[in-house]
Amino acid sequence: MSLNTARAAIVSAQNLDLTFQTGDGPVHALKGVSLDIEKGDFVSFIGPSGCGKTTFLRCMADLEQPTGGSITVNGTTPEDARKARAYGYVFQAAGLYPWRTIGRNISLPLEIMGYSKADQAQRVARTLELVELSGFENKFPWQLSGGMQQRASIARALAFDADILLMDEPFGALDEIVRDHLNEQLLQLWARTEKTIAFVTHSIPEAVYLSTKIVVMSPRPGRITDVIDSPLPKERPLDIRESPEFLQIANRVRDGLRAGHAYD
Amino acid sequence: MSLNTARAAIVSAQNLDLTFQTGDGPVHALKGVSLDIEKGDFVSFIGPSGCGKTTFLRCMADLEQPTGGSITVNGTTPEDARKARAYGYVFQAAGLYPWRTIGRNISLPLEIMGYSKADQAQRVARTLELVELSGFENKFPWQLSGGMQQRASIARALAFDADILLMDEPFGALDEIVRDHLNEQLLQLWARTEKTIAFVTHSIPEAVYLSTKIVVMSPRPGRITDVIDSPLPKERPLDIRESPEFLQIANRVRDGLRAGHAYD
Amino acid sequence: MRSAAPVLTVLAVIVGIWYLAVAPMNVRVALDQAERAGEAVVPEGSVPRRAVSVWRLMRDNSEFVHLGYALERPRLPTPQQVGQELWKTTGEMVQKGRPFSKRGLIYHGWITLQSTLWGFALGTLVGILGAVAIVYSRTAQLSLMPWAIISQTIPIVALAPMIIVLSSQAGIEERGVPKAIISAYLCFFPVLVGMVKGLRAPQPAQLDLLRTYNATGLQSFLRLRLPASVPYLFTSLKVGIAAALVGTIVGELPTGAISGLGARILIGDQFGAPLAIWSALFAAAVLAGALVTLLDLIQRITLKRMGMAT
Amino acid sequence: ADDVTLQLKWVTQAQFAGYYVALEKGFYDEEDLNVTIKPGGPDIAPTQVLAGGGADVTVEWMPAALAAREKGLPMVNIAQPFKSSGMMLTCRKDAGVETTADFPGKTLGVWFFGNEFPFLSWMSQLEIPTDGSEAGVEVLKQGFNVDPILNGQAACVSTMTYNEYWQVIDAGLTPEELTIFKYEDNGVATLEDGLYVLEENLEDPAFEDKMVRFVRASMKGWKYAEENPDEAAEIVLEYDETGAQTETHQKRMMGEVAKLTAGSNGALDPADYERTVASLLSGGSDPVISAAPTGAWTHQITDKALN
Amino acid sequence: MSWLILALLVWLGGWALNIWLSRWDRLRAVRIAVPVIFGVTLLVVWEALVRGFGISPVILPAPSVVAQTFAASTDLLWIDFQQTVVKGALRGFTIGAIAAFVAAVLIDRSKFLTRGLLPIGNFVAALPIVGIAPIMVNWFGFDWQSKAAVVVVMVFFPILVNTVQGLNEASAMQRDLMRTYAANYWQTLFRLRLPAAMPFVFNGLKVATTLALIGAIVAEYFGSPTRGMGFRISTGVGSLSIDLVWAEIAVAAIAGTALYGIVAWIEKRVTFWHPSQRR
Ligand SMILES: Nc1ncnc2c1ncn2[C@@H]1O[C@H](COP(=O)(O)OP(=O)(O)OP(=O)(O)O)[C@@H](O)[C@H]1O
Ligand SMILES: Nc1ncnc2c1ncn2[C@@H]1O[C@H](COP(=O)(O)OP(=O)(O)OP(=O)(O)O)[C@@H](O)[C@H]1O
Ligand SMILES: Cc1ncc(C[n+]2csc(CCO)c2C)c(N)n1
Ligand SMILES: [Mg+2]
Ligand SMILES: [Mg+2]
């Protein structure tokens, strides 16, 4: 377990615990999770189903209250950070509102945060361009393919100036080719905007390809079993995935995963 | 395009065409598709969403009527083959009937085909063993994990003596680790039963790992762009996936895919 | 069970409001009565009083307000009066050893229940058969569906006398039959709609699976469509039985006024006995609650047996 | 025994005591009849039941029967146990109604469902419009109770001497507080509660014979009821399926009904008939019937039954 | 006899025509024509049966007679329509729907109230509320107010229950999204929960439309001015004007269908995005 306690930490979790009280008794979703995320990091979380990846992201975003340990975001509590609108959250399913056009879906957070009409229009246009969806502004979500919907939901999270992008399996429902393409775009976007990104995935190549730091988790109770700092350069063409370093990291991740996996 | 016209062909499609008439005008789902599948083949179909993989499988199974060209199965029409119960079809979602136990799900085709009670019981027991689910006979589907459900649905297709197993993205909904495990099991099963298998997938490693023949397709209109006969041995440990031959085939598949892909 | 406390609280509040409302609702009648008994009421005379608001009447004649809580013919009875009347027509009848007396609500509830059950059975049958026709025949779907909706916009009350006459012309003398027909008329619709949904619930892949087995139409109906529709069936049966009860009561209101809870409401109205109306209404509520709860129970058990409990 | 079905005009009550007495006392049995009595109700039109073959004979008011006859349903009066009319308009003095001259501008509750005809011809005789115009009366379709007069929604309501009037009294209004207009006293009495059958049936001798016996037994019932009102009321209570009728009310009703049946031996008095027809024909712009009917009554049955 | 054969032939012919037509069930014209043909067939069969069996017009009039009466009494029908549908049913429906909607939004603010009221609302929605008609007539008088009151109570609960349920329809994920924006209650209500609730609200409204007419008409049985559909129907039965009764029934069916159609039309516009409305 690697514990970076650098001062530039944007998220800092110390010994975080979270137990859900359910009908069948308590579920220990997170146990003693400590992790620092630094400004500009691209952190991937990988681990078998139920290991607490989502729960950890939700703790960061103040959508879940830890039952033990401490977590700070931007030096304050997650709640204050949320109220300061520090988060852009991208969920597994695109989760666009079907009654709003793509444009108005993207302006949703802007309306809520009270941006001016002119500012809204300009930001919508800019983020649509960023995710290559210009021209689809007036379409409804269900008129777009899955990949396009997912890009729109990323645009929605980028439209306002959140410091931290939290992405919970955003590409889980897409096919490999579209996924490759969105991965490339996401990397470019990250490079351009210098956001801090926390990213949940089930795919080993995706995790290795995208991240500066890979967090491997295991379930029952949810713990961090490995934190891998990626030696890969910031500039990553798709075929870096056939390089030996890549495969080596991938193998380390796979071993970590297999250790904590119950198969079914 | 490679056209094997060997005599042992179990499925033989010649210049197959299929156009759907939809509200927005015709959709050319298959165009000039020619392909031979030989007895004992494991053929994977890979291609971007909407390229006609499912449609082709459905044509084979007489679930869709081609609008041009010809297709024979076991030397007869797909309809006759269907009536002769030549197919075991496995769909993407396990599609087990929630109101039947695992055992009764597997005996469903047997009931319909009029097998005797004793025969049914014996076949259910045998196939359950084959997919390593003995002991779960009286559980309901929701009491099983996703991977186990998918194995049960494969068992259902194996319970009667279908010559051809058609599998449409059977592991699409599962996580990578479970998927690896099922891939291994499927290969063993195939080796043991010597069925002919047509398998649709979105995953390049999966296609390469499993198949004796990989069919790459591209959309609008749905065509076959490449047919790759795999040089890999029949015996395939999981780590064959890091071998150079494997990566080479994977790259050829990826290139074929990228060429025909529109990204969204 | 989590909601027991809130439900009870809300019920308590409702009963409280009810009690409070009795005073203004009944004050005029109470004052008329007091005046007739020789008391001094301001203003004098029921006609002049009509121009005065109830609040003023209550303020100016506060000593008579309590009379409103014990009227024989209240505009709004107190919950206690309704309870007493209910007890008098049910529990007390049982105690007296005449549970099925025509003067008790058990007898009339039983009459209503019978019609409701017949109507429910008939309506369910028609609904299910209609749904099967609609699911299996495009023509039936196109022809029947709009008319099923239109049929519900026809005021069945208007049909009631004709149903009586026509059924008696058809040689049916049984009084319950017209009621059951009306009840079935209201009941079949929710069942039809629910079952169409239910029979169409199987995904195309599940139907295709059976096609690959070369299953016959009957096999796929019995093994797939029917079981898949069971949750929908129960949901619509619950709506259907409530509708059947409404149908029976609507049918009893004008078609005979002989027996049944609807007839009790009517007779109560005819004799200016509001308590009879209120107690019949509450008896109908109890009946509705019991029927729906019973179906809910059967649903739970069935779905559990089928492994479809959620 | 021969089957006879009798359709009543209203629910089981002492208004129909004669028939229940005849049934209970075995008068029908004596005539070798097997009689079924069907109670009526607010939505049951005896005329329609008769037309539909749901009954052989029905209790109906003559205006409704004559109106049905004009509609093409040939109903014939075969007996008239009620000599006089029990219908009246009961008004509140404190609402300002003392004479018929006070009607204009007032709200009056009226029974419809075929029972409105006597009221309409009365108003047209008084030349009071009923269409809601200024100089006229406001007509309400009265429900089944007398609430409108109790809570001031109407100045007058329709009542029967034997039924609703007593409900007004029971509710606390005193006779002194009320003005009463009997239709009898205002010259607009119409015949109530006669026995009617379909004309074509009368041609069948077997049916005729059945009716002769039925009327004979029924009149025996009526006379017994007149003489033993309390017992008759109790018999009625026995047959009441609603369980809502009370003994006091039925006994009182029987007493009042006896006053109306007194003076009839069952045979229709042609003079009463003519008076009814005249009253109905005088309906001004919108008479209940447009021409004096022919063959709307017969003594064919009563002649045989009563001699 | 020949009438009966005609009835049979028309029935078979109409059905055959529909079977043939429904092959083009994607066409709008066919989707309209088929039910119309079915309805016309029913009418013709009805006509033929009435004539064939010589059924008395005081029991069941032929549709042609009803049509004549309809045409001859449009004034009367119009007066009744205004009294019962416009004043009684529509006003009651509007008041009840608005009240239920507002109540649902208010209840929704409190978890406690929601949990307490929802089961009760569900229960009351299943009750035969028409039974309160005599009470309402006693309370609110003979004119349309008492009819509207019955309708208000009848439509209130289905709409309330559906709306409350609809307000809880937004998925946890969609709500979490709003939370990450630190959106306040009203923002979440107007931008997320109300739109998401609309399909449910309209379900309630559609159920309520059919209830509204029944309620208004039944209430007229317990007292009314001398106009209104319920009044005319009961008076018509009493005076054997059964053709007029059927004309009123036709008006009720047309009005009810129109009301339902309008609600369904608005639903289509408001919930265009819902999967059930696409395709
Ligand atoms: N609201 C909740 N109530 C009770 N248990 C919960 C809740 N949310 C999550 N859990 C449980 O906590 C554990 C961790 O869940 P979590 O969703 O964080 O896993 P995950 O790693 O995101 O899994 P997946 O890959 O399937 O999304 C699981 O066992 C889950 O069942
Ligand atoms: N029943 C249908 N009616 C109309 N169009 C259809 C129908 N089925 C498929 N299509 C269209 O035909 C094309 C091929 O579809 P198909 O399902 O075969 O693709 P696929 O390769 O299986 O895609 P996926 O990977 O998304 O499953 C698509 O454009 C699809 O929209
Ligand atoms: C709807 C309706 N209202 C009044 C009557 C009138 N009616 C006929 S006989 C009778 C006796 C007294 O109870 C009464 C009141 C009716 N038949 N139907
Ligand atoms: Mg998760
Ligand atoms: Mg597919």
Side-chain angles (χ1 to χ4, degrees):
Chain A
M1 198 177 292
S2 98
L3 265 178
N4 306 338
T5 351
R7 238 359 1 223
I10 229 176
V11 177
S12 167
Q14 297 296 334
N15 216 13
L16 213 61
D17 252 50
L18 200 152
T19 311
F20 288 108
Q21 299 302 340
T22 72
D24 309 342
V27 173
H28 216 149
L30 292 177
K31 183 179 161 66
V33 169
S34 299
L35 183 73
D36 279 3
I37 300 178
E38 280 149 60
K39 182 147 183 59
D41 259 354
F42 193 125
V43 186
S44 283
F45 295 81
I46 192 164
S49 198
C51 68
K53 307 180 292 293
T54 298
T55 306
F56 185 64
L57 243 60
R58 291 173 61 83
C59 283
M60 277 198 244
D62 185 39
L63 296 174
E64 216 74 76
Q65 304 311 322
T67 47
S70 71
I71 179 165
T72 61
V73 176
N74 278 339
T76 68
T77 63
E79 186 179 359
D80 289 340
R82 177 171 69 79
K83 296 211 164 131
R85 280 133 182 185
Y87 307 108
Y89 206 121
V90 181
F91 296 90
Q92 166 151 21
L96 299 169
Y97 292 178
W99 53 86
R100 284 178 167 243
T101 59
I102 298 301
R104 297 201 58 233
N105 261 291
I106 296 173
S107 68
L108 174 71
L110 306 176
E111 285 171 25
I112 288 174
M113 297 174 188
Y115 286 74
S116 74
K117 280 259 170 267
D119 204 6
Q120 285 183 26
Q122 183 231 317
R123 277 166 182 266
V124 168
R126 183 165 45 103
T127 41
L128 273 174
E129 199 176 324
L130 209 63
V131 298
E132 299 181 10
L133 277 179
S134 308
F136 290 92
E137 183 165 352
N138 292 319
K139 291 260 183 288
F140 284 95
W142 29 271
Q143 296 172 316
L144 267 54
S145 74
M148 292 162 89
Q149 287 182 31
Q150 204 46 271
R151 296 211 306 260
S153 91
I154 294 172
R156 183 174 58 183
L158 292 174
F160 57 102
D161 303 307
D163 294 336
I164 309 170
L165 219 51
L166 304 171
M167 306 177 86
D168 194 353
E169 289 191 63
F171 307 139
L174 306 178
D175 78 47
E176 191 156 344
I177 312 290
V178 176
R179 207 161 161 160
D180 280 358
H181 181 67
L182 289 181
N183 279 346
E184 255 185 305
Q185 290 195 311
L186 181 60
L187 269 188
Q188 286 164 16
L189 205 137
W190 170 63
R192 244 177 299 156
T193 58
E194 303 204 308
K195 303 243 176 207
T196 310
I197 299 185
F199 186 96
V200 171
T201 181
H202 266 129
S203 158
I204 301 171
E206 189 169 85
V208 180
Y209 176 67
L210 291 172
S211 322
T212 57
K213 186 185 275 199
I214 302 159
V215 179
V216 182
M217 299 180 69
S218 89
R220 269 157 254 165
R223 287 162 294 117
I224 294 181
T225 50
D226 199 0
V227 177
I228 305 161
D229 283 298
S230 173
L232 297 180
K234 243 194 152 170
E235 199 66 33
R236 301 175 186 183
L238 270 175
D239 52 20
I240 202 172
R241 297 185 296 191
E242 277 123 49
S243 71
E245 297 101 305
F246 187 98
L247 293 174
Q248 194 200 323
I249 307 174
N251 272 338
R252 181 167 157 200
V253 174
R254 182 168 293 117
D255 290 344
L257 279 177
R258 225 169 267 162
H261 205 282
Y263 284 118
D264 306 305
Chain B
M1 199 177 293
S2 97
L3 266 177
N4 306 338
T5 351
R7 240 355 6 222
I10 230 176
V11 176
S12 167
Q14 297 296 332
N15 215 13
L16 213 59
D17 253 50
L18 199 152
T19 310
F20 288 109
Q21 299 302 338
T22 72
D24 309 342
V27 172
H28 216 149
L30 291 176
K31 182 178 162 67
V33 169
S34 300
L35 182 74
D36 280 3
I37 300 178
E38 279 148 61
K39 183 150 182 56
D41 259 354
F42 194 126
V43 186
S44 282
F45 295 82
I46 191 164
S49 196
C51 68
K53 307 179 293 293
T54 298
T55 306
F56 185 65
L57 241 62
R58 292 172 60 85
C59 283
M60 277 198 245
D62 185 40
L63 296 174
E64 217 72 77
Q65 302 311 320
T67 49
S70 70
I71 179 165
T72 61
V73 177
N74 279 340
T76 69
T77 63
E79 187 180 357
D80 288 340
R82 177 171 69 80
K83 295 207 165 135
R85 283 141 177 176
Y87 308 107
Y89 207 122
V90 181
F91 295 91
Q92 166 152 19
L96 299 171
Y97 292 0
W99 54 87
R100 283 176 170 248
T101 58
I102 298 301
R104 294 201 60 232
N105 260 293
I106 295 173
S107 70
L108 174 72
L110 306 175
E111 286 171 23
I112 288 173
M113 297 175 187
Y115 287 74
S116 74
K117 280 262 171 260
D119 205 4
Q120 285 182 24
Q122 183 230 316
R123 277 167 182 265
V124 168
R126 184 165 42 105
T127 43
L128 273 173
E129 199 175 325
L130 210 62
V131 297
E132 299 180 11
L133 279 178
S134 308
F136 291 91
E137 183 163 354
N138 292 321
K139 292 262 184 284
F140 282 102
W142 44 270
Q143 296 172 309
L144 268 56
S145 73
M148 291 161 93
Q149 287 182 29
Q150 203 48 273
R151 296 209 306 259
S153 93
I154 295 172
R156 181 175 61 182
L158 292 173
F160 58 102
D161 302 307
D163 295 336
I164 309 170
L165 219 49
L166 304 171
M167 307 177 87
D168 194 354
E169 289 192 62
F171 307 140
L174 305 178
D175 80 45
E176 192 156 341
I177 311 288
V178 176
R179 206 162 162 161
D180 280 357
H181 183 67
L182 288 182
N183 278 345
E184 255 185 304
Q185 291 195 310
L186 181 60
L187 268 189
Q188 286 164 16
L189 204 138
W190 170 63
R192 247 177 295 157
T193 59
E194 302 202 311
K195 301 243 177 206
T196 310
I197 298 185
F199 187 95
V200 171
T201 180
H202 267 129
S203 157
I204 300 171
E206 188 168 85
V208 179
Y209 177 68
L210 292 172
S211 322
T212 57
K213 186 185 278 204
I214 301 159
V215 179
V216 182
M217 300 180 70
S218 88
R220 269 158 252 166
R223 285 162 294 120
I224 294 181
T225 50
D226 198 1
V227 177
I228 306 162
D229 284 298
S230 173
L232 297 179
K234 245 193 151 170
E235 199 65 34
R236 301 177 186 180
L238 268 176
D239 52 21
I240 201 172
R241 296 185 297 188
E242 275 125 49
S243 72
E245 298 101 304
F246 187 97
L247 292 174
Q248 192 199 326
I249 308 174
N251 272 338
R252 181 166 158 199
V253 174
R254 183 167 293 119
D255 290 342
L257 280 177
R258 224 170 270 161
H261 204 283
Y263 289 117
D264 312 301
Chain C
M1 286 311 102
R2 232 163 26 104
S3 51
V7 168
L8 291 178
T9 314
V10 170
L11 278 179
V13 170
I14 291 175
V15 170
I17 294 175
W18 182 353
Y19 263 111
L20 289 179
V22 168
M25 287 297 287
N26 290 346
V27 67
R28 288 180 197 281
V29 189
L31 293 183
D32 286 357
Q33 219 176 54
E35 193 171 39
R36 237 175 251 127
E39 304 281 352
V41 173
V42 264
E44 262 175 55
S46 68
V47 176
R49 271 200 297 276
R50 256 172 235 146
V52 183
S53 80
V54 285
W55 313 111
R56 254 194 80 181
L57 288 176
M58 281 165 63
R59 199 193 59 201
D60 295 348
N61 303 284
S62 50
E63 68 270 34
F64 301 124
V65 168
H66 73 274
L67 291 177
Y69 285 83
L71 294 176
E72 208 179 310
R73 300 168 52 125
R75 284 181 80 199
L76 177 64
T78 64
Q80 193 192 349
Q81 283 178 306
V82 175
Q84 279 169 348
E85 177 74 14
L86 264 176
W87 173 249
K88 220 166 71 191
T89 45
T90 52
E92 216 173 283
M93 293 284 173
V94 177
Q95 283 183 344
K96 284 190 200 152
R98 294 186 299 140
F100 278 93
S101 155
K102 285 170 188 165
R103 299 189 164 265
L105 284 176
I106 299 176
Y107 168 78
H108 293 279
W110 169 240
I111 299 283
T112 299
L113 177 65
Q114 275 178 314
S115 277
T116 303
L117 292 181
W118 279 113
F120 177 63
L122 186 62
T124 305
L125 187 73
V126 171
I128 291 176
L129 291 181
V132 172
I134 282 174
V135 168
Y136 277 93
S137 150
R138 250 182 323 183
T139 311
Q141 185 205 339
L142 290 176
S143 325
L144 295 185
M145 214 47 195
W147 286 99
I149 294 172
I150 292 173
S151 76
Q152 297 304 296
T153 67
I154 292 177
I156 12 108
V157 236
L159 296 183
M162 277 165 273
I163 293 175
I164 297 179
V165 172
L166 283 175
S167 60
S168 90
Q169 200 168 37
I172 302 162
E173 285 301 334
E174 177 58 43
R175 283 273 184 181
V177 173
K179 287 196 280 178
I181 292 175
I182 294 170
S183 150
Y185 189 93
L186 284 190
C187 165
F188 92 92
F189 185 69
V191 177
L192 177 88
V193 173
M195 276 306 273
V196 167
K197 245 196 206 149
L199 291 175
R200 287 200 177 134
Q203 284 124 30
Q206 292 181 312
L207 287 161
D208 284 342
L209 180 72
L210 290 179
R211 211 170 123 81
T212 66
Y213 301 154
N214 195 26
T216 64
L218 186 65
Q219 282 175 326
S220 59
F221 180 76
L222 291 179
R223 289 199 164 71
L224 176 56
R225 285 195 192 270
L226 203 56
S229 72
V230 169
Y232 296 83
L233 176 66
F234 275 108
T235 309
S236 43
L237 285 186
K238 283 191 272 182
V239 181
I241 197 139
L245 182 60
V246 172
T248 304
I249 293 208
V250 166
E252 280 169 351
L253 284 180
T255 59
I258 298 208
S259 49
L261 295 175
R264 284 292 278 213
I265 292 173
L266 186 86
I267 294 289
D269 185 45
Q270 200 206 341
F271 292 109
L275 283 175
I277 302 182
W278 285 87
S279 62
L281 278 177
F282 274 82
V286 171
L287 194 58
L291 289 173
V292 173
T293 310
L294 183 70
L295 274 177
D296 197 66
L297 208 72
I298 298 177
Q299 170 178 33
R300 274 164 214 255
I301 294 171
T302 312
L303 289 188
K304 193 159 190 166
R305 282 243 182 106
M306 288 178 72
M308 286 164 89
T310 38
Chain D
D2 299 306
D3 291 331
V4 173
T5 308
L6 169 69
Q7 173 67 54
L8 302 183
K9 180 173 175 56
W10 196 244
V11 298
T12 304
Q13 55 183 0
Q15 181 187 3
F16 311 104
Y19 311 106
Y20 285 107
V21 167
L23 187 61
E24 179 69 17
K25 289 276 156 196
F27 300 161
Y28 290 132
D29 290 340
E30 287 166 19
E31 297 285 355
D32 194 28
L33 291 175
N34 176 20
V35 174
T36 310
I37 300 178
K38 285 178 158 182
D43 218 5
I44 293 180
T47 48
Q48 206 190 18
V49 176
L50 196 63
D56 301 305
V57 53
T58 177
V59 176
E60 184 51 289
W61 289 3
M62 184 167 276
L66 295 185
R69 202 175 165 85
E70 270 214 348
K71 281 263 179 319
L73 184 71
M75 293 173 68
V76 178
N77 179 306
I78 56 166
Q80 185 61 43
F82 276 51
K83 172 72 181 166
S84 13
S85 155
M87 195 150 57
M88 52 192 194
L89 211 52
T90 301
C91 305
R92 275 176 91 129
K93 287 193 177 131
D94 63 6
V97 185
E98 306 266 357
T99 69
T100 53
D102 297 324
F103 283 158
K106 300 291 187 303
T107 304
L108 312 185
V110 175
W111 289 319
F112 277 78
F113 204 75
N115 306 310
E116 68 275 31
F117 303 126
F119 172 81
L120 293 177
S121 42
W122 186 25
M123 287 301 125
S124 73
Q125 276 187 16
L126 293 174
E127 294 183 352
I128 299 174
T130 54
D131 53 7
S133 57
E134 275 301 294
V137 289
E138 167 88 18
V139 176
L140 285 185
K141 183 192 110 162
Q142 186 176 331
F144 315 111
N145 60 37
V146 293
D147 283 350
I149 196 174
L150 302 179
N151 58 24
Q153 287 165 338
C156 310
V157 290
S158 299
T159 55
M160 303 303 289
T161 52
Y162 48 81
N163 189 0
E164 289 81 0
Y165 174 74
W166 296 104
Q167 289 182 36
V168 178
I169 299 298
D170 286 348
L173 288 172
T174 54
E176 297 75 53
E177 289 176 277
L178 301 170
T179 314
I180 280 164
F181 301 93
K182 288 197 176 174
Y183 281 55
E184 284 279 355
D185 304 342
N186 286 276
V188 283
T190 51
L191 285 170
E192 292 162 7
D193 287 31
L195 291 173
Y196 292 82
V197 298
L198 287 181
E199 191 168 321
E200 71 222 29
N201 289 345
L202 279 178
E203 285 153 24
D204 173 9
F207 183 81
E208 186 195 16
D209 178 53
K210 245 177 17 181
M211 284 304 115
V212 167
R213 287 179 280 147
F214 174 74
V215 169
R216 194 182 308 143
S218 299
M219 285 319 295
K220 202 168 159 193
W222 271 118
K223 294 308 147 193
Y224 186 92
E226 276 173 34
E227 283 152 26
N228 309 284
D230 285 358
E231 185 186 351
E234 262 153 35
I235 289 172
V236 168
L237 278 174
E238 202 113 311
Y239 281 91
D240 167 41
E241 278 194 58
T242 65
Q245 308 281 11
T246 61
E247 198 177 315
T248 31
H249 187 59
Q250 290 306 308
K251 286 189 172 159
R252 192 167 53 191
M253 183 185 291
M254 188 59 235
E256 293 293 333
V257 165
K259 293 181 194 161
L260 304 181
T261 54
S264 168
N265 63 358
L268 175 84
D269 178 349
D272 291 343
Y273 168 78
E274 294 303 338
R275 194 191 56 212
T276 301
V277 169
S279 156
L280 293 176
L281 274 175
S282 69
S285 59
D286 194 14
V288 178
I289 50 176
S290 52
T294 50
W297 62 276
T298 175
H299 277 167
Q300 178 186 353
I301 304 294
T302 40
D303 284 349
K304 291 188 179 156
L306 306 173
N307 297 318
Chain E
M1 196 60 214
S2 58
W3 283 111
L4 300 185
I5 294 171
L6 178 78
L8 193 68
L9 286 181
V10 169
W11 178 260
L12 292 176
W15 195 249
L17 179 63
N18 272 348
I19 289 177
W20 180 73
L21 273 178
S22 40
R23 283 195 282 171
W24 296 280
D25 63 347
R26 287 177 177 281
L27 293 180
R28 214 182 140 72
V30 168
R31 301 182 78 91
I32 294 171
V34 170
V36 169
I37 292 172
F38 180 78
V40 170
T41 315
L42 275 187
L43 289 180
V44 173
V45 170
W46 172 359
E47 178 91 31
L49 288 182
V50 167
R51 292 185 185 216
F53 283 116
I55 295 177
S56 158
V58 303
I59 290 174
L60 185 67
S64 58
V65 177
V66 175
Q68 279 166 19
T69 310
F70 192 108
S73 8
T74 43
D75 291 349
L76 206 60
L77 295 174
W78 176 243
I79 291 170
D80 295 344
F81 172 82
Q82 282 181 310
Q83 173 72 16
T84 305
V85 178
V86 180
K87 290 189 189 155
L90 278 185
R91 286 184 191 174
F93 181 81
T94 313
I95 297 169
I98 292 174
F101 191 76
V102 172
V105 172
L106 291 181
I107 289 173
D108 178 71
R109 291 218 68 167
S110 146
K111 264 247 151 51
F112 187 80
L113 267 186
T114 308
R115 266 202 255 136
L117 264 171
L118 206 55
I120 296 177
N122 259 317
F123 174 65
V124 178
L127 298 183
I129 293 178
V130 270
I132 64 164
I135 297 171
M136 293 297 134
V137 172
N138 186 320
W139 287 1
F140 295 100
F142 280 64
D143 212 344
W144 62 269
Q145 290 87 344
S146 56
K147 319 307 176 270
V150 174
V151 176
V152 167
V153 183
M154 280 180 83
V155 303
F156 184 82
F157 290 96
I159 299 178
L160 177 82
V161 168
N162 274 288
T163 307
V164 171
Q165 206 182 333
L167 285 173
N168 288 305
E169 204 34 40
S171 65
M173 188 231 279
Q174 290 174 323
R175 271 172 229 230
D176 284 346
L177 185 69
M178 283 304 205
R179 217 171 121 80
T180 65
Y181 300 152
N184 64 32
Y185 170 81
W186 295 105
Q187 287 174 325
T188 310
L189 181 68
F190 282 109
R191 291 200 164 71
L192 170 60
R193 300 176 57 220
L194 278 182
M198 280 306 149
F200 285 77
V201 174
F202 275 97
N203 267 347
L205 286 176
K206 283 199 280 190
V207 172
T209 51
T210 55
L211 292 176
L213 266 183
I214 293 186
I217 291 178
V218 169
E220 286 184 4
Y221 276 68
F222 292 90
S224 69
T226 52
R227 58 185 177 274
M229 299 168 69
F231 166 78
R232 201 74 62 197
I233 288 169
S234 77
T235 313
V237 172
S239 57
L240 293 188
S241 315
I242 308 299
D243 44 351
L244 186 59
V245 173
W246 278 100
E248 294 282 358
I249 291 175
V251 173
I254 294 167
T257 308
L259 191 57
Y260 187 93
I262 291 169
V263 172
W265 184 83
I266 299 175
E267 176 186 30
K268 213 176 179 132
R269 249 117 281 253
V270 174
T271 64
F272 64 93
W273 49 270
H274 196 256
S276 66
Q277 296 291 338
R278 286 187 231 143
R279 214 184 78 83

